[in-house]
Every structure is written in C-alpha cells, then in structure tokens.
Amino acid sequence: MKNIMKSMSMAALVIAGAIIAGCAKQVAPEQTGNADKVATTISLGWDGTKAVDASGVKTFKEGDSFAIVYKDHSGNTRLQCSDALYASNIHMGGKQAVIDVWFDFDYTPADKADVRIIYPSSMVKSDVSADADVHSDEATVDYSNLYEWQFGYLNEIDKHDLAVWDGKFADDGNIHSALLQNKMAILAIQLYDGDGDNITDSVISLKIADGTYTYTLPCQSAYGCKYVAIHPTSNADIDYEAHTTIGDSYDYYYFKGVSGKTYEAGSMYTMGLNMTKVQEI
C-alpha cells in the first residue's frame, strides 16, 4: 500500500535576525532601538503536512525549525535558523506557520540573493562553507544520520524526512511564495519469518541496502513497525537483513531481497516482508 505525502507550499516568508553557529537554540534580541539587527517576517504555509503520522500525513508541529542558507552582501554563503515553532505560530490545522529568523546587520542577505530553506533544520550541515553553492545538497545537507541513527520509530521519522526549497529573495527582501519539495521516501515495514509469524517486535537491528546507500537501524524496540526515511530509488534491487532475539535470547538472522523497486520522494510505502531465516547465531 502506498500513501502519498503532499508537497509543502510556503507562502510569504519573512526574515529578521541574528546569525548563530549551526542551528542551536536561539533567543531573539530586543527589536526596539537595536540598530544591529534587521527584521523581515516569514509566514509559512502549505497544502500538505509535516510530522509524519501512520498514514503518511504531515503537519507543522511545536518545536519545528527551519535552516536558511543564503548569500550575504559580501558574496559569502551563510547559515541561519529560525526560532522553534510554538503552538501560537501554527495555524490552519498545521498547514500554516509563522516563524522568526534574525540576521545580524553585517550578514544580511544580498539583494535578490540565492536562498535555500531546509526543513527540518536538523538536516543542515553545521559547517556550511563560505563558498558553498547555496542550492547544492552536497554542500548544505547532512545525510549522515540517515545511515546509522534511525531507530524505526514513527515519532522519530520527521527528524529525517527532509524537505527543501530553492529560490531567491524578492526585490523587497522577502520570500512571498515558496514550495518545499520532499526529498525522501518513507518505508513502513512489517517483518515476518518463513512461517508467517510477525517478528517485527523482536528485531534488534535492521540493515537496508539499495546498491547505493545502506541504512543500519540500531533498533531498541519496535512498536510493531519500522519507519525508515530513504533516498528515492528507481528500479533498484534492495536487500533487507534483520537480527532478532526471541524468548530464549538466541539471535536469529533473516534476509529478504527484492528487485525492481521504485520509491518516489514524498511518498510512504507500507509493506510486509516475508524473510528467510539464514542461520542461528
């Protein structure tokens, strides 16, 4: 079964602010009489969702923040992050949000500067270089946590479900309309042994290899399903390896290979995998 996650459109971004290192928590400075800060307003909206639920629906939620990578007036690439969303920032049932971003006066965006918005901000590189291409995934996105630090939990998947918008600031320094594009596909996996018994709750590690990327989940508990964010695939051969501990504490190794799989960005795929027990360890 396949559940489509709608792309996210953002209307009228407004920015203001103080440059910070990485995307650590920030406190907005006093605006009154502060000549060292400039303020723009960012109003976000979309016709899709964020925070993935079990059916693939996503909405903005409290604690979300956005990373903004842009060119400043000196031609350097800069990184700035929004404040975390509060409930009062979120509107229209999670489809719209208003965020604050503060730029230091010395690092304000250049006129009609290139800009990239990365959501969630946890996916931005902390060491974006001054000469980085603003619109480059390699230069701005940190994918490392995808490969070793996904735990398969539904309430964790939104930390890895990358969405990006690339564009330019408008003549007045704002971003009036933007569309965040989902970059990842989501797999919701149930695992079965050769007898048809569900072993998902017993999986203590799961490895997924598509020939290009390998995702290793150090599963601590299962909750009946493994949710994994992956790069989109096209006609890929994918291997699944699972280790379980069942009852008597013996470890079991299971394998499943599938071929010709296309998983599109912005979609959730729910699947049951009938695994073959390869050996007892």
Side-chain angles (χ1 to χ4, degrees):
M1 182 173 65
K2 172 180 172 181
N3 299 308
I4 302 298
M5 303 175 193
K6 296 180 181 178
S7 294
M8 174 170 68
S9 64
M10 300 189 334
L13 286 145
V14 188
I15 306 180
I19 208 73
I20 57 172
C23 285
K25 182 178 179 182
Q26 58 182 323
V27 178
E30 293 293 334
Q31 298 182 47
T32 304
N34 189 339
D36 294 329
K37 312 298 177 185
V38 286
T40 306
T41 304
I42 301 185
S43 179
L44 304 174
W46 58 359
D47 56 6
T49 51
K50 190 55 186 114
V52 184
D53 68 12
S55 62
V57 173
K58 302 170 27 170
T59 50
F60 289 118
K61 63 179 178 57
E62 288 186 76
D64 281 348
S65 61
F66 303 79
I68 293 88
V69 181
Y70 66 97
K71 288 291 186 180
D72 69 11
H73 279 284
S74 298
N76 293 319
T77 300
R78 297 284 178 180
L79 166 64
Q80 176 64 324
C81 292
S82 71
D83 291 335
L85 291 177
Y86 292 96
S88 58
N89 300 125
I90 302 169
H91 310 286
M92 296 180 64
K95 294 182 179 181
Q96 185 181 61
V98 176
I99 64 173
D100 295 319
V101 182
W102 293 90
F103 294 109
D104 188 279
F105 183 80
D106 292 331
Y107 306 120
T108 55
D111 295 339
K112 301 181 182 180
D114 287 337
V115 59
R116 163 170 277 202
I117 299 170
I118 296 174
Y119 183 43
S121 61
S122 58
M123 292 290 288
V124 73
K125 281 191 171 182
S126 60
D127 56 350
V128 176
S129 65
D131 61 353
D133 179 353
V134 170
H135 299 154
S136 164
D137 287 353
E138 182 178 359
T140 64
V141 178
D142 182 0
Y143 288 109
S144 60
N145 285 339
L146 289 178
Y147 308 127
E148 295 183 354
W149 292 107
Q150 296 193 66
F151 290 96
Y153 307 157
L154 177 61
N155 63 358
E156 294 270 341
I157 196 64
D158 59 315
K159 295 178 181 178
H160 309 287
D161 188 25
L162 174 67
V164 168
W165 178 79
D166 289 313
K168 293 179 178 291
F169 287 94
D171 290 343
D172 61 2
N174 295 330
I175 301 173
H176 298 286
S177 180
L179 180 68
L180 278 175
Q181 296 290 337
N182 291 305
K183 289 281 196 174
M184 313 307 297
I186 305 296
L187 306 183
I189 306 169
Q190 296 272 356
L191 303 173
Y192 299 86
D193 64 13
D195 296 323
D197 294 327
N198 194 320
I199 59 172
T200 312
D201 287 345
S202 302
V203 170
I204 59 173
S205 69
L206 176 65
K207 184 166 75 173
I208 303 170
D210 65 10
T212 302
Y213 303 102
T214 299
Y215 311 86
T216 302
L217 283 69
C219 311
Q220 295 177 341
S221 59
Y223 302 107
C225 201
K226 299 294 185 188
Y227 292 86
V228 188
I230 67 169
H231 293 278
T233 65
S234 177
N235 197 33
D237 296 334
I238 303 177
D239 291 338
Y240 297 85
E241 298 179 12
H243 290 263
T244 65
T245 300
I246 302 176
D248 57 7
S249 79
Y250 284 107
D251 292 336
Y252 297 89
Y253 167 45
Y254 293 85
F255 177 83
K256 177 68 175 182
V258 297
S259 59
K261 294 300 180 180
T262 296
Y263 296 133
E264 297 178 354
S267 298
M268 174 180 277
Y269 299 84
T270 303
M271 64 188 68
L273 296 176
N274 292 310
M275 314 284 286
T276 299
K277 185 163 69 173
V278 177
Q279 65 185 51
E280 183 177 320
I281 301 174

